[in-house]
Amino acid sequence: MQVGLNTTSLSGNGALNHSVQPHTVAQNAPVRQKLPATASDYPASPLITTRPQRYSVQLNDQLTTLQQADHYLGQLEQHLLDYRHASRRGGQAQQQKGAELSQWLEKRPALSGSSVDRQLRPVLQGEARVTFHSPELAQMLQKGTMSSRMFSLSDGRQTQHSAVVAGEDLAPGQYKMLMSNALRRVGVQVHDQQGALTFSTTEKQWPQIEQTLSVRDMDAKSSAYTLLTTFADPCRTDELLQSVSQGSSRTQDGLQQALDVIGDQRAQMAAQQEKARQLIDGMARFPQAESAVKASESLGGVLDHANHNYQVLAQAVNGQARLSSQTVRSLLS
């Protein structure tokens, strides 16, 4: 007489195999990994759509920055319109509106939450930066000027130093890279556009760069530091402040140019806000309430079948446990 013994097993992930589970549940397809978001991809769509819970805080920060920039530019646009209207009449009304506009421009970092830069462009990621020039610094980065140098930068409380040591066997390209790294340590980034060297730093650090960035030639006998000459690119906020304070004949042209720039920036931000709204809507798994109810009912049925099969498996295991080990070995042999 032959005795057959049907056994069931649990898979490694806890699901019943097909001999016990008559209904199979469709597995979700693995999420395809996407490349990290770049600065131009706003908001970070690959991140918030694949892992929304982890990046919900980051998305909230980005949207908050977007709203701050749009609010500031909207208020600035209204101040510009009010001042243009008052300047046509002149008198005390023009002075009052000019003072309000100047105050709004001077307090831009605080009023915008650092979300708008000196060119009246929104800064949705990172920090607002200032592009500046320094002929002396650019000359140090050219070929044939390799020398050991020490840079110094002070904020009034402490002084930062960054050194470059030029060896005899150092190639010009390596020296330029070492100089760029040394400047980066004091907050200066080098930009090379077809041989034309420019520099940039954060708006917060620009006053320190402008007033205290110094260099010392370590190969020279003198240990004195030389203050580097730096000047920033013309910015729209300074031009507006100067026009309002002087009341020049070109004020109207400057106001119109600023209004055009603000209008373009706000139009782009409106498109970005719509993109963010669509991405947030796309994160919803069930666009309609009925589909969510049907999915929950289907899941409940699958779990009910799994519970029944688990009870059957438990009875089989308990029944086997009542047999003696000698019987089980003889049956399996």
Side-chain angles (χ1 to χ4, degrees):
M1 179 180 67
Q2 295 181 350
V3 178
L5 179 62
N6 293 329
T7 61
T8 59
S9 62
L10 290 173
S11 62
N13 58 4
L16 296 173
N17 66 2
H18 294 290
S19 62
V20 177
Q21 184 176 358
H23 300 281
T24 60
V25 181
Q27 297 288 335
N28 289 330
V31 178
R32 181 171 60 89
Q33 296 295 327
K34 299 184 180 180
L35 296 176
T38 61
S40 60
D41 188 4
Y42 181 86
S45 55
L47 301 180
I48 66 173
T49 53
T50 56
R51 287 172 287 180
Q53 293 180 348
R54 181 175 180 181
Y55 291 95
S56 59
V57 176
Q58 179 184 0
L59 174 61
N60 182 70
D61 292 341
Q62 291 177 346
L63 293 179
T64 300
T65 303
L66 182 64
Q67 292 169 354
Q68 286 178 323
D70 184 63
H71 178 265
Y72 175 82
L73 291 178
Q75 294 294 319
L76 178 60
E77 185 178 32
Q78 186 61 49
H79 282 294
L80 289 170
L81 292 172
D82 292 342
Y83 177 74
R84 185 173 67 174
H85 180 70
S87 63
R88 293 172 181 173
R89 295 179 298 174
Q92 186 176 2
Q94 180 182 3
Q95 296 179 0
Q96 180 182 357
K97 295 299 181 182
E100 294 176 358
L101 176 59
S102 298
Q103 185 179 21
W104 197 259
L105 290 170
E106 292 171 352
K107 295 183 178 180
R108 169 186 52 83
L111 295 174
S112 68
S114 300
S115 62
V116 177
D117 65 5
R118 292 154 42 101
Q119 304 294 345
L120 300 182
R121 296 174 302 195
V123 183
L124 304 181
Q125 292 179 332
E127 295 185 75
R129 301 189 67 83
V130 176
T131 300
F132 67 94
H133 304 268
S134 176
E136 301 166 347
L137 195 56
Q139 186 178 5
M140 295 178 189
L141 288 164
Q142 301 300 328
K143 297 180 179 179
T145 60
M146 291 188 298
S147 177
S148 298
R149 293 183 170 90
M150 175 79 75
F151 294 98
S152 174
L153 182 69
S154 175
D155 61 357
R157 295 176 298 177
Q158 59 181 359
T159 301
Q160 293 178 313
H161 293 94
S162 181
V164 176
V165 179
E168 296 180 356
D169 56 345
L170 192 64
Q174 293 176 325
Y175 177 75
K176 187 175 181 180
M177 181 182 65
L178 291 177
M179 283 282 291
S180 299
N181 293 336
L183 289 171
R184 190 178 296 111
R185 285 193 289 270
V186 292
V188 178
Q189 187 170 352
V190 181
H191 305 276
D192 189 351
Q193 298 179 349
Q194 299 179 353
L197 294 177
T198 59
F199 309 91
S200 70
T201 186
T202 61
E203 280 193 7
K204 183 179 180 180
Q205 201 169 9
W206 165 240
Q208 304 170 17
I209 298 292
E210 184 181 22
Q211 299 171 10
T212 67
L213 182 61
S214 308
V215 65
R216 177 171 72 91
D217 192 343
M218 299 173 63
D219 296 335
K221 296 181 180 179
S222 175
S223 60
Y225 283 88
T226 303
L227 183 67
L228 293 173
T229 302
T230 57
F231 55 93
D233 281 346
C235 65
R236 198 169 300 275
T237 54
D238 290 346
E239 292 175 354
L240 285 173
L241 285 170
Q242 184 177 3
S243 299
V244 171
S245 61
Q246 296 178 354
S248 61
S249 58
R250 300 181 58 185
T251 301
Q252 296 297 329
D253 295 337
L255 292 177
Q256 186 58 48
Q257 292 176 3
L259 288 171
D260 293 340
V261 170
I262 292 175
D264 293 340
Q265 297 295 341
R266 296 195 70 192
Q268 295 178 14
M269 285 191 292
Q272 291 169 339
Q273 285 180 321
E274 177 61 22
K275 177 183 177 182
R277 186 193 65 79
Q278 294 176 358
L279 289 172
I280 292 173
D281 292 343
M283 291 167 60
R285 301 293 179 133
F286 304 104
Q288 297 179 355
E290 293 79 4
S291 60
V293 173
K294 292 180 180 179
S296 63
E297 291 177 351
S298 176
L299 178 61
V302 172
L303 293 176
D304 183 62
H305 282 292
N307 180 63
H308 170 72
N309 293 331
Y310 176 79
Q311 296 296 333
V312 174
L313 179 60
Q315 293 176 5
V317 173
N318 290 335
Q320 180 177 337
R322 296 191 187 97
L323 301 176
S324 63
S325 58
Q326 184 71 23
T327 307
V328 173
R329 281 197 298 270
S330 62
L331 290 174
L332 296 178
S333 61

